[in-house]
Amino acid sequence: MKNSLYTALVMLMLFTLSCLLYTVIFWDMMGASHIFRSHTTVLETRSSAIPTPAVPTMKATGTCQHSGGCDPAKNSKSIRKAVPKPKVYEKVKGQCNTSQGNVAFVKTHKTGSTTLTTILNRFGYHKNLSFVQMADAETGHFNYHTPSFSRINELFPPIGVTKNDTGNYTGYNISAVHFRYSRAFMEALMGDGVTPVYYITILREPVSQFVSAFRYFDVAKALLPANSTSHGDIEATILEVLNLSQSVFVAHPFAWNNQLFDLGMRKPDMLNESSVRRHVELLEREIDLVLITEHFDESLVLLKKLLCWEYDDILYLKRRMQPLEDSSISSTTIDRIRKHNHADSIMYDFFNRTLWKKVSDYGPSFDEDLETFRNLLSKRLENCTAGTEVVKVARGQENVMHVLAKDASDICWSVVRMYDVIDIIRRRQGG
């Protein structure tokens, strides 16, 4: 009898404990479910705030001859069907101990962009990273070839991927070649849904950029008759070009608002100031940092913080310098050039202001960090070069190039010998 009572008591106690345990588990699951729903709501809110671009459907054409021809939406015959939708990820802007994220550099023309490219190339070279590179171009540039998923086999594969295994041509770490801005295409190449992709670009004061591109790409030769009397006088030649019809400017990438064209806006839309401002606002949302040529060192300090790099990672020598020429242009002509490139001026003024806002947000250590960088820049590179030399480049143009000093350090070699670095990068990826 006693044994039966004892057994019954034990069973009652076990039943009571089981009930308590199930109650705790139930309420814990309800709390976790509430937390999960809250977290999902946050992610959905963030996702809805990020514009999802349409998958570009682009015609496999050659060099773009007009702005409409470079617009992916206007040239659609082939679609890469399996473009993964990027997951929502956080870009950590605070303190960090290691470099983070992939870098998509929208490389503009005649803005000092080659100097920035060498910085990115050197970083990726030392870290053994994969680069977006056109296989059939000596330096990997797309230039104004229309980006196309149907031509993705013309890229070098990422490191570790077999050539022509184009389904795995994704997860590239760095893009630093000329490439007209196409967010969906770049996200498909570089995004893996986990690793952040940082988009950066660089802008130059529009008058100086226009004059530099005008001379370097010989715009007058392309647009003026051979018997033009203004050839040889840079100001007279510019004025003659500025007097041409609007249709000529729309058809030539370097004759009108070239920087905004590089950043994805169609030429005809640039006639509408409201459209220009909307496009600039879109760029502000999509591009993490717009560097300014005239404030290059300040821009690099901001880049260093954004990517959690070291000072050595942003060391540089100026690249693609053109031999000094008499470029004296009257203030009247300068005003005409600025009005002619009105859309570029709107964009430049906007992002010049945002640069200084970022400097202000950086905090009180900015001036000290800038001074540290400039001192290191002088100290680390003072024995790297043995003068300069003028060399012929594409289209018969001349550039001033640095000569590597004898017994220079490894860091000097990687800073000075930019084309050697590019060759190694391309060989790593099958070039």
Side-chain angles (χ1 to χ4, degrees):
M1 182 68 176
K2 289 182 179 180
N3 288 339
S4 298
L5 289 172
Y6 178 78
T7 302
L9 182 61
V10 170
M11 293 295 292
L12 179 62
M13 290 176 65
L14 289 173
F15 176 78
T16 303
L17 286 173
S18 298
C19 290
L20 288 172
L21 180 61
Y22 282 122
T23 300
V24 170
I25 292 173
F26 172 79
W27 284 109
D28 185 64
M29 289 177 65
M30 289 295 291
S33 175
H34 171 72
I35 292 171
F36 177 76
R37 286 197 302 271
S38 299
H39 182 62
T40 303
T41 302
V42 171
L43 286 180
E44 289 173 350
T45 302
R46 289 174 181 162
S47 180
S48 64
I50 299 174
T52 303
V55 176
T57 57
M58 293 164 275
K59 184 179 179 181
T61 60
T63 303
C64 167
Q65 298 299 321
H66 55 83
S67 59
C70 290
D71 182 14
K74 302 293 184 182
N75 295 280
S76 52
K77 280 195 175 180
S78 60
I79 303 174
R80 189 184 185 195
K81 296 180 180 179
V83 179
K85 182 178 179 181
K87 297 178 183 177
V88 177
Y89 45 63
E90 286 295 319
K91 294 182 178 179
V92 181
K93 304 289 196 214
Q95 297 296 320
C96 47
N97 298 315
T98 185
S99 59
Q100 57 178 9
N102 298 331
V103 183
F105 172 36
V106 187
K107 190 176 190 297
T108 48
H109 288 82
K110 307 313 295 177
T111 57
S113 61
T114 298
T115 301
L116 183 53
T117 286
T118 60
I119 292 172
L120 296 170
N121 286 349
R122 189 176 73 250
F123 181 86
Y125 159 75
H126 285 299
K127 303 290 185 180
N128 203 38
L129 302 180
S130 295
F131 287 77
V132 175
Q133 288 261 329
M134 286 284 283
D136 62 352
E138 184 178 352
T139 52
H141 296 310
F142 284 74
N143 288 316
Y144 290 127
H145 287 270
T146 304
S148 171
F149 291 123
S150 67
R151 299 177 61 198
I152 198 170
N153 63 316
E154 296 179 21
L155 297 176
F156 282 124
I159 293 173
V161 175
T162 305
K163 185 178 180 181
N164 295 325
D165 182 13
T166 55
N168 287 313
Y169 279 25
T170 188
Y172 289 91
N173 305 115
I174 294 177
S175 173
V177 294
H178 282 300
F179 186 106
R180 190 158 178 259
Y181 184 49
S182 172
R183 181 57 174 251
F185 189 71
M186 291 307 295
E187 198 71 32
L189 289 180
M190 305 190 69
D192 59 12
V194 178
T195 307
V197 180
Y198 290 87
Y199 287 82
I200 65 173
T201 191
I202 185 168
L203 299 177
R204 182 179 179 182
E205 190 281 316
V207 173
S208 60
Q209 189 274 341
F210 175 83
V211 173
S212 179
F214 190 93
R215 177 185 291 117
Y216 188 82
F217 296 107
D218 206 351
V219 173
K221 183 177 180 181
L223 300 183
L224 297 179
N227 61 355
S228 171
T229 58
S230 67
H231 285 300
D233 183 329
I234 182 66
E235 183 168 8
T237 306
I238 287 174
L239 288 172
E240 187 173 357
V241 168
L242 295 186
N243 288 328
L244 297 174
S245 67
Q246 188 68 47
S247 61
V248 172
F249 305 141
V250 170
H252 195 286
F254 301 108
W256 184 50
N257 295 313
N258 173 237
Q259 296 179 84
L260 192 54
F261 181 67
D262 280 345
L263 286 164
M265 190 170 194
R266 296 176 63 250
K267 286 287 187 82
D269 295 338
M270 296 176 192
L271 293 168
N272 186 311
E273 184 170 322
S274 296
S275 295
V276 170
R277 294 189 183 279
R278 283 195 297 271
H279 191 82
V280 169
E281 291 169 0
L282 174 68
L283 293 174
E284 183 192 23
R285 293 193 298 270
E286 292 189 346
I287 297 183
D288 296 285
L289 178 64
V290 177
L291 293 83
I292 299 294
T293 306
E294 289 74 21
H295 307 292
F296 195 62
D297 289 354
E298 291 88 346
S299 299
L300 287 180
V301 172
L302 294 175
L303 181 68
K304 170 185 173 293
K305 183 174 183 179
L306 175 72
L307 301 178
C308 294
W309 284 9
E310 303 294 333
Y311 284 112
D312 276 358
D313 297 327
I314 58 172
L315 296 177
Y316 72 94
L317 291 170
K318 289 183 179 180
R319 299 292 179 179
R320 288 290 181 93
M321 298 177 292
Q322 297 177 43
L324 292 175
E325 296 183 18
D326 181 13
S327 300
S328 56
I329 297 176
S330 69
S331 58
T332 302
T333 301
I334 287 173
D335 287 342
R336 279 204 63 183
I337 295 171
R338 184 174 290 111
K339 290 177 182 177
H340 176 72
N341 294 282
H342 180 59
D344 269 4
S345 297
I346 289 174
M347 179 173 64
Y348 176 84
D349 291 343
F350 179 90
F351 284 111
N352 191 30
R353 289 193 298 270
T354 66
L355 179 83
W356 295 108
K357 174 64 165 58
K358 290 179 184 292
V359 168
S360 177
D361 293 343
Y362 187 102
S365 67
F366 181 83
D367 289 339
E368 181 181 346
D369 291 351
L370 178 61
E371 182 179 5
T372 298
F373 171 53
R374 284 175 168 165
N375 289 338
L376 183 64
L377 191 63
S378 174
K379 182 178 179 181
R380 293 298 297 270
L381 302 181
E382 63 182 351
N383 296 318
C384 284
T385 64
T388 59
E389 61 181 354
V390 177
V391 298
K392 292 282 187 181
V393 291
R395 294 172 297 279
Q397 296 293 329
E398 294 181 335
N399 279 343
V400 178
M401 305 290 286
H402 298 281
V403 177
L404 183 66
K406 290 184 178 181
D407 302 321
S409 65
D410 289 341
I411 193 168
C412 285
W413 175 85
S414 62
V415 170
V416 175
R417 299 300 293 268
M418 56 176 276
Y419 291 112
D420 290 348
V421 171
I422 292 173
D423 287 343
I424 294 173
I425 288 170
R426 290 166 69 82
R427 286 199 299 271
R428 283 177 179 171
Q429 293 178 227

